[in-house]
Amino acid sequence: AAGVIQSPRHLIKEKRETATLKCYPIPRHDTVYWYQQGPGQDPQFLISFYEKMQSDKGSIPDRFSAQQFSDYHSELNMSSLELGDSALYFCASSFARGQVEAFFGQGTRLTVV
Amino acid sequence: SQKIEQNSEALNIQEGKTATLTCNYTNYSPAYLQWYRQDPGRGPVFLLLIRENEKEKRKERLKVTFDTTLKQSLFHITASQPADSATYLCALLTGGGNKLTFGTGTQLKVEL
């Protein structure tokens, strides 16, 4: 069965650079979530989309933005990167009108040097 | 403020015993609560969902209870195995219904 695909798996950027993370949700899922997870921490909710419209926002810095495209894939754009942005970034998708459990991708490990 | 709290200390148990993990929440009125398993460096994996009108849910060796009066869910793994060692997270759908918020997680280690 198709799973949530994230790319790239690993990314190394320098401070003040920009990064773009991509997420391809499971087909027919209508909700996409983005999370940031630092070492030893629980996943922190950043932002979600329902049917391509921004739905809820969490502790997402102003330097970050996200969008969902007509083909339902989503991108998280991160600018003016800081050392503290180094983390695992997960994307998840779900079907809001169904069982609502979220299916997570394998994550993108971002390292800012 | 809204919080979802789990046992902060790691839980070490012997193989074959029952592991019990706790999830407490404040200032939420969730329609349902979910439990996930996360292995190091990997994304959380959905295990079970329990609705507010359900007291208990089972799936193989897993059992979840949900007490909306106490604002608490208990997650049990019976006949635990070393392969059950992982971090277990409870989660609630909050906000406008599209904000899946995780608890602080409990690290479980099952020893031989």
Side-chain angles (χ1 to χ4, degrees):
Chain A
V4 176
I5 307 293
Q6 288 187 248
S7 69
R9 292 292 310 280
H10 301 273
L11 192 57
I12 299 175
K13 290 285 186 178
E14 294 191 353
K15 279 194 305 185
R16 292 180 288 279
E17 283 194 314
T18 297
T20 298
L21 280 54
K22 295 186 179 183
C23 170
Y24 297 85
I26 291 172
R28 290 183 294 282
H29 276 191
D30 52 21
T31 304
V32 167
Y33 309 90
W34 283 98
Y35 290 86
Q36 177 191 60
Q37 187 170 29
Q41 308 211 327
D42 53 285
Q44 293 295 309
F45 173 82
L46 292 176
I47 196 167
S48 64
F49 293 87
Y50 172 68
E51 284 293 346
K52 295 169 279 185
M53 300 285 288
Q54 184 183 304
S55 177
D56 283 277
K57 228 172 170 182
S59 47
I60 183 169
D62 292 340
R63 300 178 289 108
F64 294 8
S65 65
Q67 55 183 323
Q68 189 174 23
F69 295 86
S70 57
D71 65 352
Y72 286 85
H73 94 273
S74 179
E75 294 184 2
L76 178 66
N77 297 292
M78 308 158 68
S79 61
S80 303
L81 287 168
E82 302 172 357
L83 296 178
D85 296 329
S86 296
L88 261 174
Y89 289 83
F90 290 107
C91 168
S93 72
S94 69
F95 184 52
R97 286 158 288 176
Q99 181 78 340
V100 307
E101 71 264 34
F103 293 83
F104 281 76
Q106 292 184 295
T108 294
R109 183 173 292 282
L110 172 67
T111 303
V112 182
V113 297
Chain B
S1 63
Q2 294 176 316
K3 287 183 190 175
I4 307 172
E5 294 179 312
Q6 299 181 242
N7 320 58
S8 57
E9 307 229 341
L11 182 62
N12 294 335
I13 64 166
Q14 260 193 320
E15 183 180 21
K17 301 286 186 189
T18 296
T20 298
L21 285 63
T22 306
C23 174
N24 294 295
Y25 57 92
T26 53
N27 295 322
Y28 287 109
S29 297
Y32 37 76
L33 185 145
Q34 304 179 43
W35 282 90
Y36 289 77
R37 168 187 172 137
Q38 186 174 28
D39 292 283
R42 304 182 76 93
V45 174
F46 172 79
L47 295 175
L48 275 172
L49 177 151
I50 186 164
R51 299 180 189 278
E52 60 179 340
N53 60 350
E54 296 175 314
K55 290 271 192 270
E56 182 180 296
K57 199 96 172 261
R58 291 175 187 259
K59 180 182 174 184
E60 296 170 355
R61 294 184 296 111
L62 308 180
K63 184 177 90 170
V64 172
T65 62
F66 193 15
D67 189 325
T68 54
T69 303
L70 289 179
K71 294 187 181 294
Q72 180 182 79
S73 176
L74 298 179
F75 177 80
H76 307 270
I77 305 176
T78 58
S80 59
Q81 305 165 0
D84 295 327
S85 299
T87 295
Y88 291 85
L89 299 149
C90 63
L92 302 177
L93 262 182
T94 62
N98 293 102
K99 181 179 179 181
L100 185 64
T101 304
F102 285 93
T104 47
T106 297
Q107 189 175 357
L108 172 68
K109 186 172 180 184
V110 181
E111 297 163 334
L112 292 168

